[in-house]
Amino acid sequence: MLDFSIAAAADALRARKFSARELTQAHLDAIATLNPTLNAYITVTPERAIAAADAADAALAAGTAGPLAGIPLAIKDLFCTAGVRTTAASRILGTFVPPYESTVTANLLRNGAVFLGKANLDEFAMGSSNMTSAHGPVTNPWRRAGDDAALVPGGSSGGSAAAVAGHLAMGATATDTGGSIRQPASFCGIAGIKPTYGRCSRWGIVAFASSLDQAGPVARSVEDCAILLGSMAGFDPKDSTSVDVAVPDFRAACARGVKGMRIGIPREYRPDSLPAEIAALWDQGISWLRDAGAQIVDVSLPHTRYGLATYYIVAPAEASSNLARYDGVRFGARVDGQDLIDLYERTRAAGFGDEVKRRIMIGTYVLSAGYYDAYYLRAQKVRALILRDFTEAFAKVDALLTPTAPSAAFAQGDKPTDPVRMYLNDVFTVPASMAGIPGMSVPAGLDASGLPLGLQVLGKHFDEASVFAVCAELERAAGFVAKPALRA
Amino acid sequence: MSLDAAMVRRIASLSRIRIEDAEVPRLQAELSAILGWIEQLNEVDVHGVEPLAGASAVALRARADVITDGGIAEQVLANAPDRVGEFFTVPKVVE
């Protein structure tokens, strides 16, 4: 049962080959066995999961079941879930229990999904390794061949990706601000899509950088991601940046093929430092798409190289504003002080981890009087140039193909101590976030030590359908069947 | 860009994050390294470029200026670290 895709499990549940309760219980057992090692979940909610599974079984029997009835999912602990603790992997929200449900998770519940629990992440989604969580690091279910070193799952949606790769959930919600869906998907050998900015409502998701944050799914197949995104997406009046456009049939797009499509290969995504294995996998991906009837077009995105530096002004600036709400007064942890300012400062010093503090401070600095124009305003202008690069490229091509990340998963013990080196993990994913376009990572091969590597497909605003079509073609060609060492 | 210790303290104060004296040198080094790396943006010609604030391809919409929610004081206060009746509490700010 644990090996099923979401698509196959939905069929099996309807054919009554097994019950939603059996499927959910199997996942809860898997969590009990493996989560102590992987730490993919911060909170597990077995009673709620069983109750939801029973409701799904009743709906299946009555013929009223939604498309996700009985499908067990992990929910990144950045989505507010009514009555279930939501921590953002931060001490400052250690006991926070939202009285409301995020729109994205409400959409999944409406369609019958079963929530197993809340998945670990980097604190406030700030990180690329899941090492900044106040609830401890997540361990990647994959191991290098002949090496027991614990590897990172990537970040920030590391718990979501590890849970799905290790068969502790059939799919998971995730969020992506600069690569937080795509990079962990690549590190854990699964698929994950960041849709167009505005496709999924941000209402009820703990905010990091509001002009960049987008929700999306991770799952073990491209089609499963299409099924989940179809349920998560949609217009929401409660998010002013949610866009009122129809949600197409993403699942149908997966079967469309790439014949006649024009696929752009951005030359700037091939720096001299790119490992030969990743360059070779990229070339392989180009061949697969060409063999499937796509036309390969060389394109240029000249401002790509400035994407990361732009991101590390814009995202911290927005974070410094968003995280001002954690003041120890209205919700979250409080440390008392001798006056109000002292209370704020002690609360925030105790409640936030080092990376979050660094980003708040960088953001505060680049927005402060005398530095705003030199940093923040300049970054916004470079952001306009990054978007212009994509707009010009998409006048010539239907989608872009790049590597997802500049490396495979690294060991927890090899975590870079220099923050800037850690930031380089997102070099290929950040530009799409800056432009608001959809991007997806699909597992395409293994490196020499047996670790998964992903390829990334980028599409035009609101053209996730083309992204799914290309990723499904890559998935068929790659025939990726390798499985992680640790799985239920 | 190298930040001096006084600037690090000033940023921390603006950020409302208490820092101890022992933390200042480390923060000085880390923040200076990040800002130094960011300065590569100075080589980009942004002359005549309009700044881009958001990634949305669509203009923000307006809605009617009406009350859409409310009357949920208990929910609003449910996570308060301290409260008196229907109020949040803070240390005394007016003598």
Side-chain angles (χ1 to χ4, degrees), chain A residues 55-409:
Chain A
D57 279 326
L60 285 159
T64 57
L68 291 174
I71 301 297
L73 303 177
I75 302 301
K76 185 177 184 178
D77 206 16
L78 203 63
F79 292 80
C80 286
T81 40
V84 176
R85 183 174 76 136
T86 299
T87 70
S90 180
R91 285 190 298 275
I92 212 158
L93 284 176
T95 59
F96 178 66
V97 179
Y100 51 83
E101 188 78 27
S102 84
T103 298
V104 162
T105 49
N107 290 347
L108 291 167
L109 291 171
R110 175 200 64 204
N111 285 344
V114 172
F115 294 171
L116 298 165
K118 306 298 292 289
N120 207 341
L121 66 152
D122 280 297
E123 184 180 6
F124 283 107
M126 297 179 190
S128 308
S129 67
N130 220 123
M131 299 289 283
T132 72
S133 168
H135 296 269
V138 173
T139 294
N140 192 323
W142 292 79
R143 292 275 191 267
R144 294 186 189 117
D147 180 355
D148 275 342
L151 308 178
V152 305
S156 67
S157 309
S160 297
V164 171
H167 293 190
L168 306 188
M170 303 198 97
T173 65
T175 62
D176 191 312
T177 304
S180 281
I181 289 175
R182 296 161 282 163
Q183 185 252 17
S186 180
F187 276 22
C188 291
I190 61 172
I193 181 167
K194 179 199 91 71
T196 309
Y197 184 82
R199 177 66 89 182
C200 289
S201 171
R202 293 181 296 106
W203 194 83
I205 300 172
V206 176
F208 161 15
S210 299
S211 82
L212 298 160
D213 297 344
Q214 241 320 274
V218 292
R220 292 191 292 268
S221 75
V222 174
E223 183 183 36
D224 283 0
C225 283
I227 292 169
L228 291 175
L229 182 60
S231 181
M232 294 164 68
F235 174 62
D236 177 14
K238 287 188 288 204
D239 171 5
S240 64
T241 60
S242 166
V243 179
D244 192 2
V245 292
V247 179
D249 185 346
F250 297 131
R251 196 173 177 185
C254 296
R256 206 167 75 183
V258 298
K259 198 168 173 53
M261 284 184 79
R262 293 161 303 168
I263 307 295
I265 310 301
R267 67 179 75 107
E268 290 82 4
Y269 280 59
R270 200 180 290 263
D272 293 338
S273 57
L274 188 65
E277 285 177 308
I278 291 176
L281 183 73
W282 191 14
D283 290 337
Q284 177 68 68
I286 294 169
S287 297
W288 286 331
L289 294 179
R290 188 186 284 120
D291 292 347
Q295 182 192 342
I296 304 301
V297 182
D298 182 44
V299 297
S300 175
L301 300 168
H303 295 92
T304 276
R305 56 185 296 211
Y306 300 109
L308 266 186
T310 308
Y311 178 85
Y312 278 97
I313 293 174
V314 171
E318 295 185 19
S320 72
S321 171
N322 270 326
L323 273 62
R325 75 191 69 182
Y326 304 104
D327 59 3
V329 174
R330 290 158 302 156
F331 50 86
R334 165 186 284 199
V335 177
D336 285 322
Q338 46 192 305
D339 56 29
L340 187 55
I341 301 289
D342 194 40
L343 177 151
Y344 292 154
E345 293 188 343
R346 287 180 187 275
T347 292
R348 291 161 64 81
F352 294 138
D354 286 343
E355 180 63 21
V356 172
K357 287 180 190 171
R358 266 196 294 276
R359 295 203 197 186
I360 291 174
M361 291 178 71
I362 288 286
T364 301
Y365 179 72
V366 301
L367 290 176
S368 63
Y371 301 95
Y372 182 95
D373 286 2
Y375 288 102
Y376 187 63
L377 193 63
R378 173 168 281 269
Q380 288 189 311
K381 290 177 178 177
V382 179
R383 185 174 185 181
L385 293 172
I386 291 169
L387 174 61
R388 193 168 78 189
D389 282 358
F390 280 113
T391 304
E392 288 173 1
F394 283 125
K396 290 184 280 191
V397 300
D398 303 305
L400 300 165
L401 178 70
T402 79
T404 304
S407 75

Side-chain angles (χ1 to χ4, degrees), chain A residues 459-477:
Chain A
K460 299 174 186 174
H461 286 108
F462 293 103
D463 188 19
E464 290 88 354
S466 289
V467 174
F468 279 118
V470 177
C471 283
E473 191 67 57
L474 291 167
E475 185 181 54
R476 282 190 288 273

